[in-house]
Amino acid sequence: MSTFTLTILTGAELTVLLIALAIALTLIRHALNSIACTLDKIAMGVRAIEVETAALPPQLTKLNGGLSALSDGLMQTAVHFTAADGNLQQVAQALGRSNA
């Protein structure tokens, strides 16, 4: 083959390579644009959640205080139930019944 033919073939191969590279980069750009669009929607949703839940921390503090008081009351109730259970066991023994 002559040098001229090899030069033409090399130029054609380079052109095909550059066209393939341009197509690949275009496809990648479209994929990245799609991803960017999806990420924008996610970011917008996260901001909306942040705005909607901004009132929660003060309310959670109040709720936590109420639940702590409820917990203390339930612990006292548990103590009373334990005492009542002991009393009922004594009554059952006095009546000759087994504690089932």
Side-chain angles (χ1 to χ4, degrees):
M1 278 196 188
S2 69
T3 307
F4 179 72
T5 306
L6 290 176
T7 303
I8 296 296
L9 287 175
T10 303
E13 288 175 354
L14 182 61
T15 303
V16 169
L17 177 66
L18 290 177
I19 290 171
L21 182 61
I23 291 170
L25 289 175
T26 302
L27 292 173
I28 291 171
R29 190 184 93 222
H30 287 302
L32 290 176
N33 283 340
S34 175
I35 292 169
C37 181
T38 302
L39 288 176
D40 287 342
K41 289 179 183 178
I42 291 171
M44 185 175 63
V46 169
R47 283 191 297 272
I49 291 170
E50 179 183 16
V51 168
E52 292 295 321
T53 59
L56 284 179
Q59 298 302 325
L60 289 176
T61 303
K62 290 180 185 177
L63 180 63
N64 193 23
L67 291 175
S68 294
L70 178 64
S71 174
D72 293 340
L74 290 174
M75 287 184 161
Q76 291 175 359
T77 303
V79 168
H80 292 300
F81 278 143
T82 302
D85 184 51
N87 292 336
L88 287 174
Q89 286 180 1
Q90 289 176 357
V91 169
Q93 287 176 355
L95 294 174
R97 306 241 173 150
S98 65
N99 51 343

